[in-house]
Amino acid sequence: MRDLLLLVFAALAACVIPLQAIINGRLGQVVANPFLAALISFFSGFAALVLVLLATTPGVPSLPPGTSFGKIPWHLFSGGVLGAVFVTTVLVLVPRIGAANVIAATIVGQLIMSVVIEHFGILGAPQSNVTLTKVAGCALLICGMLLIQRR
């Protein structure tokens, strides 16, 4: 039951992604520069996170004792760069091929990469072998993406 509730929460949280894609796509058109639009988008997200962090953390937010930025593995800082690649790509593509096509393609890409990551346990992800059922699920999502893009 707990897993079902978490899946519902994840699905509800994902409902903002098409809105974000359309908003960022329009922002890219308005400022006529995809990198500036991505920077504006990330700055607003940064400001929101600063406010949430300050509102939910007693005192001055800090790293746990014994931890420093120098002790954090370098690859763990790449999440922001990967987010910037994704957001910039989405805001460039949405005005060209539409939010539904972009979101369908990103879901397919995310799921296939997730299956590969879990199969090999990349970056410490829980290992879960590729199965025929998972391959069928990916194939059905690819079919769905192709059906969505048909006009």
Side-chain angles (χ1 to χ4, degrees):
M1 179 64 168
R2 181 180 147 268
D3 287 350
L4 179 61
L5 289 174
L6 294 175
L7 286 170
V8 169
F9 180 73
L12 290 173
C15 288
V16 305
I17 293 172
L19 295 170
Q20 179 196 32
I22 292 167
I23 289 166
N24 283 338
R26 284 289 303 129
L27 179 62
Q29 289 176 319
V30 169
V31 301
N33 184 322
F35 303 110
L36 178 58
L39 181 65
I40 292 168
S41 177
F42 274 91
F43 181 77
S44 66
F46 170 80
L49 286 172
V50 166
L51 292 174
V52 169
L53 181 65
L54 292 174
T56 61
T57 305
V60 176
S62 62
L63 295 174
T67 303
S68 68
F69 282 107
K71 290 184 179 179
I72 299 172
W74 69 268
H75 66 276
L76 297 182
F77 290 99
S78 67
V81 174
L82 297 174
V85 169
F86 177 73
V87 167
T88 305
T89 300
V90 168
L91 71 86
V92 167
L93 293 179
V94 165
R96 290 177 171 81
I97 62 173
N101 286 325
V102 171
I103 298 302
T106 60
I107 290 169
V108 167
Q110 288 173 31
L111 185 66
I112 290 172
M113 189 61 175
S114 296
V115 168
V116 170
I117 287 169
E118 288 184 356
H119 179 76
F120 293 106
I122 297 171
L123 296 171
Q127 196 163 1
S128 176
N129 290 329
V130 173
T131 63
L132 188 57
T133 304
K134 290 179 184 179
V135 171
C138 290
L140 287 171
L141 277 174
I142 291 168
C143 290
M145 176 190 70
L146 295 173
L147 288 171
I148 286 170
Q149 67 86 35
R150 291 181 62 123
R151 298 193 188 251

